[in-house]
Amino acid sequence: MDRADIAFAVNGAAVSVNVPPLRRLSSVLRDELRLTGTKVGCDAGDCGACTVLVDGDPVCACLMPAASAAGTAVTTVEGLANGRLSALQASFLAHGAAQCGICTPALLVAATALLDTKPRPTETEVQDALGGILCRCTGYRKIIAAVMEAGWFGSERSTAGAATHPPAGSPYSDGEKGSAPALAPPSPRPLRGEGKGEGQRQLYGLDRDLDRRMPASGHAIGASPIRLDGVPKVTGAEKFGGDSFPADALAVLVVRSPHYHAKFDFGDLDGWAKAHPGIVGVFTAADIPGKNCFGVIGPFADQPALAEGFARLRGEAVALVAGEREAILDLDLSDFPIRWTELPHVLQPRDAQAEGAALIHGNRPDNLLTKGFVERGDPEAALANAAVTASGAIDTSYVEHAYIEPEAGYAYVDGDTLVVVACTQAPYMDRDDTAKVLGLAVNKVRIVPTATGGGFGSKLDVSLQPLIGLVAIKTGRPAALAYTRNESMMSTTKRHPAQMKATIGAASDGYVTGMVFTGDFNTGAYASWGPTVANRVPVHASGPYLTPNYRAEGRAIHTHGPIAGAFRGFGVPQATIMQETLYDELAGKLGMDRLDFRLKNCLRNGSETVTGQLLVSGVGIAECLEALRLHWARATVDADTFNSTSIDRKRGVGVACCWYGCGNTSLPNPSTIRVGIAPSGDVILHQGAVDIGQGSNTVITQICADALGLPLEKFQLKSADTAISPDAGKTSASRQTFVTGKAAEKAGRALREKILRFANVSDKASLKLDGAVIVIREGEATRRIDLAALDANADGFVFRAEETYDPPTLPLDAKGQGKPYAVYGYGAQIAELEVDLKLGTVRLIKITAAHDVGKAINPLLVEGQIEGGIAQGIGMALMEEYIPGRTENLHDYLIPTIGDVPPIETILIEVPDPEGPFGAKGLGEHVLIPTAPAILNAIRHATGVLVTKVPATPSRILAAIREKEARA
């Protein structure tokens, strides 16, 4: 393609590039100018992640040709900070408005344009200005607050520290009317993250008002300091999977199956490669040197890195094309030498299990991957003798994770070691599977996680790691690959569609007596996390309620559909929809208030679960429901008042609860943490738990800081890297705060004990770091340890501790009885909404969420998790339905925008669990589980109909209303 010299200004500096005139501005900024703060999430203008300012106006850089930028002034996120953070960037940090951070640069740029014209915008104006930018993590509420309150961080503050009063509820409000807090001097040293983020707080002159949130020694737990990785997220310095490709890296394209099921064979691959200048090689399954099979659960591993001879699903990888970057950019694969022969396919579990259906995997009769089972008591007798019963069936759909960062990374060979730098949730699992596929020893593969732009479960599975590793090994050159939005959505895992049936019975006094549940979960072509879903669902399908007679079965069934894997809840959100909608029906038949019915039946200390596990303490579901009582009464009155005068629109109120076991189900689940003190006085924390936006980098450090007894600001984080950090386990199953946090607590206490013993003092002594000297005080006595005078070990530490924690669980027997989890989290939510009876549309008014977190290690991050989970629950309930071949982009697949998430009131309940670190429980998945059933129950309260196919789209709501009217 012809090139041209194109001149324009970027962040105030004149630049000139020689590129094809139609090259996307986003590519020019990222690849030519290395301004990778501008992100690419779709290349179609659907996600808005590439938003920049062109002559002051927000534009999607992926839609602007480079030629159109000639003579303009472009501003990227890197241009917002001029030696110190902008007021808006500081506000984002203060409010916790950046989680994974992949969409943060675009939001900041667009909001900057808004604030330039409207320094005090309304919520509606913020929503309008940012409506084209998608965020999958935060739930948007903290973003709105950050933009509206950014002025408080701005120029009106004097050098003496006077400030306008922040709004009530602000992180900086000391009273209901809002008041400016006293300003403390900056911390003596910056809180540091590793790599390019190190020293960012100092570099950008972080406001004193953010520094004042740095907790004192022993007070990190319960505080909300800015997150350790916060500054790089708001300045564009954070490096995600596609942000640091080596300049000499080969670009890789993946050839994928366009069919659900097909045979294929190749033509002259070498001849085709030679006919295309710049193509270095084509690689197929025949080039794989190891075992061409991977999977997250060893006994069920069944997925090839590159398909051999036939493909089992649309989007399956069959070949790799590697070449120079410019050659790959211009490459047309329409003449690629491959011949396809379509074969019959099945997409529904009922068809896959029909008599005579072909087996997708020859070793799995009836296309059944596996099943989970829990039975207690005599449920049939209990239902037969119940005063009332409720029965129903619910179907749910595929749900796409829709993280804004598509999979991306690069690989290179370093001596005799393959190094893979990529986004991931599970570096050690990636290492093991990549080594197996490529025939390497495990210690000859190193996984270096980048920042991960959202994961929610799908980035637990291996994706591009063995593919780019194969190219790097075969060519001897670095190999880089970033999935397009289309191939990410085609080829990666989804939430399992479920077909569920259940019956629940209750006695006349309102106590539940028995329940029977069955669920078929479409696990797609390969196993992925299907076994986990099948086993976790029967344990949880009762909800957090005492159910003395119970039987539940979950089955994972193969089809030729998309691979269904882990997605925030592992099947429990689907099962909870079934159970909670039946609870509403039971309450109605009993003439009981729906919240009171749940309170009557909820688990309490001393209860036994459906697996026979005795819950001795730490059960907080009753406290969650009690915290909602006044909100429930108010919302019900509001709905009744509105409905008494409205004809075409009706308001509804719904409630739903959740419980969720933290960590693996009845399986080992260890995390290991290493912490040490260097001769310089730095406290180095090797923390291998990948932070995908939830804040584990910060939370786990807070836990370790208080356990050790040193200030948070003294810690330097060394994040996940299989070559230097011990295995903290995968980021999944709401385990990091609980499991890795417990390991961090143990490591911190162990290191403290070593220092105290060295100084020969008791555990009542206090520690302080004064440069390279540890100052130890006990009573009137003071002792000093000169670290520089002591010998360091091989790790560079003078004092070092490494501790492992594995939750105490027990296997489940043939009837599913045992102790599957050491700790459970609990929650309850109220949804208030309005339904247009003529259009079937739903307008959410408010969601109130009470969640028992045991101990809120970092309340601001906890709130962010709750709001983000609720937003995903809203999508599951009302709009998200992945249809293979039809919704493989972010235009046709709808996720909630900033205007779809209503105000959320968060109530933090702290019922400590003695097993958790400082009493803390997991949270990440719990928060999504009650949202969809609460919304569906609210729709039924408003309309009198239950939508039994989720999501409850307007057409389905209208169909249910018309069916009800036809029966009347």
Side-chain angles (χ1 to χ4, degrees):
M1 187 178 295
D2 292 337
R3 292 172 170 263
D5 291 323
I6 300 171
F8 54 103
V10 179
N11 299 329
V15 300
S16 180
V17 294
N18 182 260
V19 296
L22 297 182
R23 182 69 49 83
R24 300 175 192 269
L25 177 59
S26 54
S27 295
V28 172
L29 293 171
R30 290 175 56 82
D31 299 333
E32 308 299 327
L33 302 177
R34 309 301 287 180
L35 293 172
T36 55
T38 300
K39 308 304 180 185
V40 173
C42 67
D43 266 342
D46 295 326
C47 73
C50 63
T51 299
V52 298
L53 301 183
V54 178
D55 290 334
D57 295 324
V59 302
C60 282
C62 74
L63 298 181
M64 173 175 274
S68 296
T72 67
V74 176
T75 303
T76 71
V77 68
E78 291 92 342
L80 300 184
N82 183 20
R84 64 181 293 120
L85 294 177
S86 72
L88 179 62
Q89 289 168 315
S91 188
F92 261 58
L93 289 177
H95 288 83
Q99 288 190 19
C100 84
I102 193 72
C103 64
T104 301
L107 291 163
L108 286 166
V109 167
T112 296
L114 169 67
L115 295 173
D116 283 346
T117 58
K118 295 182 182 294
R120 294 290 184 274
T122 66
E123 179 168 331
T124 299
E125 288 170 336
V126 174
Q127 289 174 328
D128 289 345
L130 305 185
I133 302 170
L134 296 177
C135 174
R136 193 57 159 167
C137 293
T138 66
Y140 301 105
R141 300 308 306 177
K142 295 197 181 303
I143 293 169
I144 294 171
V147 177
M148 293 179 68
E149 295 182 28
W152 188 75
F153 293 84
S155 59
E156 71 278 357
R157 187 170 50 210
S158 74
T159 57
T164 56
H165 288 181
S170 160
Y172 298 95
S173 172
D174 288 346
E176 290 189 3
K177 293 183 179 179
S179 61
L183 302 182
S187 302
R189 292 181 61 191
L191 177 63
R192 296 179 295 171
E194 67 172 334
K196 294 183 175 62
E198 184 167 336
Q200 289 286 341
R201 295 174 77 253
Q202 193 173 57
L203 174 64
Y204 285 96
L206 195 61
D207 276 72
R208 292 180 294 170
D209 311 311
L210 298 183
D211 274 343
R212 71 179 279 276
R213 291 170 59 172
M214 191 61 63
S217 178
H219 294 85
I221 302 300
S224 294
I226 66 163
R227 53 189 305 155
L228 270 67
D229 48 7
V231 171
K233 293 180 188 295
V234 300
T235 59
E238 186 91 285
K239 297 302 181 185
F240 294 86
D243 288 343
S244 54
F245 290 172
D248 63 339
L250 292 171
V252 180
L253 278 182
V254 185
V255 180
R256 299 185 181 277
S257 170
H259 308 294
Y260 296 109
H261 190 205
K263 290 182 180 179
F264 65 89
D265 58 86
F266 298 110
D268 182 5
L269 296 176
D270 290 339
W272 179 87
K274 291 176 181 177
H276 292 78
I279 299 303
V280 172
V282 178
F283 306 97
T284 69
D287 296 297
I288 291 177
K291 184 176 182 181
N292 189 19
C293 178
F294 67 85
V296 291
I297 303 173
F300 295 92
D302 57 4
Q303 186 171 352
L306 293 170
E308 300 184 58
F310 63 94
R312 292 184 173 96
L313 78 150
R314 175 179 167 82
E316 183 160 16
V318 299
L320 306 175
V321 178
E324 306 300 340
R325 185 173 70 91
E326 290 294 327
I328 292 293
L329 283 173
D330 296 336
L331 187 63
D332 181 359
L333 284 177
S334 61
D335 64 343
F336 186 79
I338 185 171
R339 291 178 291 275
W340 296 98
T341 303
E342 283 195 71
L343 300 171
H345 65 268
V346 291
L347 296 179
Q348 297 298 327
R350 60 177 174 270
D351 298 326
Q353 294 213 304
E355 185 175 352
L359 296 184
I360 296 170
H361 296 274
N363 62 338
R364 292 174 184 161
D366 300 320
N367 287 316
L368 177 67
L369 171 63
T370 191
K371 61 183 178 181
F373 182 76
V374 173
E375 182 178 69
R376 184 169 176 81
D378 188 345
E380 277 77 19
L383 293 175
N385 295 322
V388 295
T389 61
S391 299
I394 296 279
D395 290 353
T396 67
S397 303
Y398 281 115
V399 182
E400 160 67 22
H401 295 74
Y403 30 72
I404 306 304
E405 179 204 27
E407 292 72 8
Y410 67 93
Y412 64 96
V413 177
D414 180 12
D416 61 354
T417 300
L418 174 69
V419 182
V420 179
V421 182
C423 56
T424 180
Q425 293 179 238
Y428 277 84
M429 291 170 58
D430 289 354
R431 180 198 65 178
D432 294 352
D433 266 341
T434 300
K436 180 174 73 170
V437 170
L438 299 181
L440 299 172
V442 167
N443 65 353
K444 298 303 180 184
V445 175
R446 177 185 180 187
I447 304 294
V448 182
T450 62
T452 298
F456 319 114
S458 188
K459 288 177 182 173
L460 289 167
D461 293 67
V462 164
S463 56
L464 51 73
Q465 291 86 350
L467 306 183
I468 54 178
L470 177 65
V471 174
I473 289 172
K474 292 292 184 179
T475 64
R477 288 180 58 182
L481 171 59
Y483 283 9
T484 65
R485 174 58 56 182
N486 176 255
E487 69 178 325
S488 175
M489 294 181 73
M490 283 176 65
S491 65
T492 61
T493 61
K494 311 286 175 274
R495 184 182 295 284
H496 284 74
Q499 297 172 344
M500 302 170 292
K501 295 180 180 179
T503 300
I504 308 176
S508 58
D509 60 3
Y511 284 104
V512 168
T513 58
M515 177 178 180
V516 173
F517 170 96
T518 59
D520 285 346
F521 292 81
N522 184 347
T523 206
Y526 296 107
S528 185
W529 293 93
T532 302
V533 169
N535 283 283
R536 188 175 279 263
V537 163
V539 173
H540 288 84
S542 65
Y545 306 105
L546 191 64
T547 310
N549 300 281
Y550 177 82
R551 181 184 300 113
E553 183 177 78
R555 304 195 307 160
I557 299 170
H558 282 299
T559 68
H560 290 108
I563 306 165
F567 190 167
R568 212 168 191 169
F570 287 101
V572 178
Q574 299 93 303
T576 302
I577 292 173
M578 182 75 266
Q579 168 262 314
E580 286 287 337
T581 54
L582 288 182
Y583 260 54
D584 260 26
E585 187 175 337
L586 275 175
K589 289 184 176 182
L590 289 163
M592 292 183 65
D593 176 86
R594 292 175 286 159
L595 188 143
D596 286 340
F597 177 66
R598 288 168 168 84
L599 257 172
K600 190 179 190 75
N601 286 284
C602 70
L603 296 167
R604 299 175 187 270
N605 291 342
S607 295
E608 287 192 358
T609 71
V610 292
T611 69
Q613 181 176 353
L614 176 65
L615 302 176
V616 177
S617 62
V619 183
I621 184 60
E623 286 82 351
C624 292
L625 285 164
E626 290 288 0
L628 293 180
R629 187 179 289 280
L630 292 178
H631 300 271
W632 177 253
R634 188 269 312 153
T636 303
V637 170
D638 287 353
D640 290 344
T641 302
F642 180 89
N643 292 338
S644 66
T645 59
S646 178
I647 297 174
D648 294 333
R649 293 177 295 135
K650 295 293 181 182
R651 285 194 178 177
V653 185
V655 63
C657 297
C658 73
W659 70 323
Y660 195 76
C662 303
N664 291 349
T665 308
S666 292
L667 291 171
N669 194 21
S671 278
T672 301
I673 287 289
R674 180 189 306 141
V675 62
I677 300 181
S680 61
D682 290 316
V683 183
I684 312 297
L685 177 64
H686 284 271
Q687 195 280 97
V690 176
D691 192 325
I692 60 173
Q694 82 279 29
S696 60
N697 280 340
T698 305
V699 166
I700 292 168
T701 311
Q702 287 179 261
I703 292 170
C704 193
D706 273 11
L708 175 56
L710 286 173
L712 190 63
E713 68 187 37
K714 298 296 184 182
F715 279 73
Q716 181 177 342
L717 180 67
K718 294 294 183 183
S719 295
D721 179 336
T722 61
I724 63 172
S725 292
D727 187 3
K730 58 192 179 296
T731 296
S732 73
S734 300
R735 65 179 296 280
Q736 293 298 19
T737 295
F738 163 42
V739 183
T740 302
K742 188 70 172 182
E745 181 186 28
K746 291 180 65 179
R749 294 193 191 282
L751 182 58
R752 175 182 174 81
E753 176 64 21
K754 288 183 178 182
I755 296 170
L756 296 180
R757 268 190 286 157
F758 182 88
N760 196 27
V761 296
S762 76
D763 59 6
K764 295 180 181 179
S766 66
L767 303 181
K768 181 181 178 182
L769 272 172
D770 182 6
V773 176
I774 301 179
V775 181
I776 304 171
R777 289 188 174 91
E778 184 175 22
E780 298 298 320
T782 299
R783 300 186 183 186
R784 302 170 68 86
I785 301 174
D786 183 356
L787 296 168
L790 300 178
D791 293 332
N793 65 12
D795 294 326
F797 296 137
V798 174
F799 295 101
R800 174 190 185 275
E802 182 168 311
E803 293 290 330
T804 298
Y805 175 72
D806 192 0
T809 63
L810 294 173
L812 299 180
D813 64 18
K815 288 196 172 184
Q817 300 298 292
K819 182 183 178 182
Y821 309 103
V823 169
Y824 296 84
Y826 304 89
Q829 295 177 8
I830 295 171
E832 301 172 58
L833 52 78
E834 189 176 288
V835 181
D836 187 311
L837 301 181
K838 290 187 175 181
L839 300 176
T841 53
V842 172
R843 182 177 74 88
L844 293 169
I845 297 169
K846 181 184 180 183
I847 291 178
T848 308
H851 283 270
D852 170 26
V853 299
K855 176 63 180 178
I857 304 297
N858 185 312
L860 188 66
L861 293 180
V862 169
E863 290 173 7
Q865 282 293 287
I866 291 172
E867 292 169 1
I870 286 172
Q872 291 186 347
I874 289 169
M876 181 181 181
L878 297 176
M879 65 188 72
E880 295 191 42
E881 184 171 11
Y882 180 84
I883 302 171
R886 288 178 50 190
T887 60
E888 294 169 350
N889 56 68
L890 292 175
H891 177 78
D892 297 308
Y893 184 84
L894 303 179
I895 69 172
T897 68
I898 199 168
D900 294 317
V901 181
I904 297 170
E905 183 170 350
T906 296
I907 304 169
L908 300 186
I909 305 298
E910 295 182 306
V911 178
D913 193 296
E915 191 65 34
F918 295 94
K921 305 168 183 174
L923 177 72
E925 281 151 298
H926 312 65
V927 294
L928 176 146
I929 295 169
T931 308
I935 289 172
L936 292 172
N937 283 337
I939 292 172
R940 177 160 56 180
H941 181 232
T943 64
V945 299
L946 175 67
V947 178
T948 58
K949 171 67 175 179
V950 179
T953 58
S955 60
R956 287 174 181 150
I957 292 173
L958 282 180
I961 292 172
R962 289 168 183 159
E963 183 180 345
K964 175 192 172 188
E965 292 172 346
R967 292 196 307 265

